[in-house]
Amino acid sequence: MGKTALLEYLAGRVGGWQVARTVGVESEMELAHAGLHQLCAPLLGHLERLPVPQRDALAVVFGRSAGRAPDRFLVGLATLTLVAEVAEDQPLVCLVEDAQWLDQASAQVLGFVARRLLAERVALVAAARPGAGDDVLAGLPDLPDCGLGDRDARALLLGNVYGPLDAAVCEQIVAESHGNPLALLELPRTWNISWLAGGFRLPASQPVAGRIEQSYARRLGLLPAETRLLVLAAAAEPLGDLVLFHGAAAALGVDLAAVSPAVDAGLLRGGGEFAHPLVRSAAYRSAAAEDRQRMHRALAAATDAGADPEPQSTEVRGRERVTTPLPPAGPS
């Protein structure tokens, strides 16, 4: 959604400030104080300025000395004192990326610090993924990143696709991106020119944001078999044609009510729209070859060849947007 770009913009605007960073890592969520250690490691030269109990607490937490696990309040207080001491010499900004993946101990300490920053020359800014990070640093001032509006999203997409782009495919990408600039830039890169021009197929090999896609694939794997078939139908039919989607479901003999688990899991929205573009590619790539073939046969059976005899293509030429009829699709 542009969280990293916003943090980088902020870092570039604080000339003369010291910048400390930490990044939440999903694989380190079970390691207490992992995120806090990453943030504070460059600041530990000021550790000797802290009162002895606070200094000892951080020394134990960060493995600089042996001892019993310190009280959590004392760790929070020590971190607050540390950043305040650093800021006495130079204003400090603490940037937290992917806060939704912070370990619980680090998130608790950073929340403690953020709620007690008053006159100190310290700023703490955390970026978290919408939905996943709602409980991180709860109760603090927030700035929702709502993404680009449709007009700006369309301009960004068309400004970065060179060649024919089917108008319906364009609108589908804009709708499914939900204003996410990265999705608008990356999703078309997984499609070759003929797919963008006609919208009849999806790529099966080029990876985009592989880790996130694998996460979606795992969530899809937990759905009932009939639900997965309907999600695959939506993935294999990239124009979002509800009539064709319903026809494919009928050809498969699957009740449309079976889509509900995918909606409940946050993978699909009403009308067969994907919650994130990577859900579509994950659904298609993770499906067995025989299921993909079965799905394309169902879509073919449901297709009315006379319904749209002249699909349209939008081509970017310089700054102009030119719409022209596409030639009939050849065999695939």
Side-chain angles (χ1 to χ4, degrees):
M1 193 57 80
K3 305 185 304 298
T4 301
L6 286 173
L7 290 181
E8 291 302 322
Y9 174 81
L10 174 58
R13 298 280 292 183
V14 290
W17 288 47
Q18 181 170 350
V19 179
R21 300 173 182 262
T22 187
V23 179
V25 180
E26 192 172 11
S27 61
E28 294 185 359
M29 291 182 70
E30 301 301 319
L31 303 178
H33 300 110
L36 186 66
H37 178 266
Q38 190 179 21
L39 182 74
C40 293
L43 314 178
L44 293 180
H46 295 76
L47 193 60
E48 295 302 320
R49 299 188 190 181
L50 273 60
V52 173
Q54 297 180 26
R55 181 184 66 203
D56 291 346
L58 284 188
V60 171
V61 163
F62 295 151
R64 296 166 68 98
S65 67
R68 296 179 58 185
D71 179 77
R72 287 180 294 177
F73 176 82
L74 194 57
V75 174
L77 192 60
T79 304
L80 176 62
T81 305
L82 178 64
V83 297
E85 286 291 340
V86 172
E88 285 293 320
D89 297 337
Q90 184 181 17
L92 173 68
V93 58
C94 302
L95 303 181
V96 183
E97 175 72 271
D98 281 330
Q100 75 278 357
W101 287 335
L102 283 175
D103 60 277
Q104 185 177 3
S106 293
Q108 189 176 46
V109 169
L110 291 178
F112 177 95
V113 170
R115 283 184 280 272
R116 287 161 178 79
L117 291 174
L118 299 173
E120 294 82 3
R121 300 188 300 172
V122 179
L124 192 154
V125 182
R129 184 168 299 165
D134 292 347
D135 296 332
V136 179
L137 307 181
L140 294 168
D142 64 346
L143 177 64
D145 184 358
C146 299
L148 302 176
D150 284 356
R151 180 177 178 179
D152 290 330
R154 195 175 296 110
L156 178 62
L157 175 62
L158 293 175
N160 289 275
V161 175
Y162 303 97
L165 175 62
D166 182 85
V169 173
C170 173
E171 295 307 311
Q172 187 72 7
I173 292 175
V174 168
E176 291 187 3
S177 73
H178 302 291
N180 186 318
L182 181 62
L184 289 162
L185 293 174
E186 292 294 335
L187 183 60
R189 296 174 186 173
T190 70
W191 299 45
N192 68 27
I193 293 176
S194 63
W195 299 334
L196 288 169
F200 301 113
R201 294 176 58 191
L202 283 176
S205 59
Q206 298 179 1
V208 177
R211 289 184 299 174
I212 299 175
E213 188 174 319
Q214 290 171 13
S215 174
Y216 283 135
R218 287 193 294 269
R219 290 167 60 185
L220 287 164
L222 299 176
L223 299 176
E226 289 192 341
T227 303
R228 292 199 303 273
L229 275 178
L230 291 180
V231 175
L232 179 58
E237 199 296 289
L239 299 184
D241 187 330
L242 283 177
V243 175
L244 190 53
F245 178 76
H246 291 177
L252 291 166
V254 177
D255 188 343
L256 284 172
V259 80
S260 296
V263 176
D264 295 340
L267 298 170
L268 283 183
R269 302 181 190 275
E273 179 186 346
F274 287 94
H276 192 286
L278 291 180
V279 181
R280 175 192 294 280
S281 54
Y284 193 81
R285 293 173 185 167
S286 63
E290 56 268 28
D291 286 337
R292 288 201 295 266
Q293 293 166 0
R294 179 185 176 193
M295 188 56 59
H296 283 294
R297 285 195 295 268
L299 288 169
T303 298
D304 179 358
D308 187 10
E310 194 174 66
Q312 300 293 302
S313 168
T314 300
E315 182 173 0
V316 181
R317 299 174 184 167
R319 294 188 178 181
E320 297 182 354
R321 182 179 173 188
V322 181
T323 301
T324 56
L326 286 174
S332 60

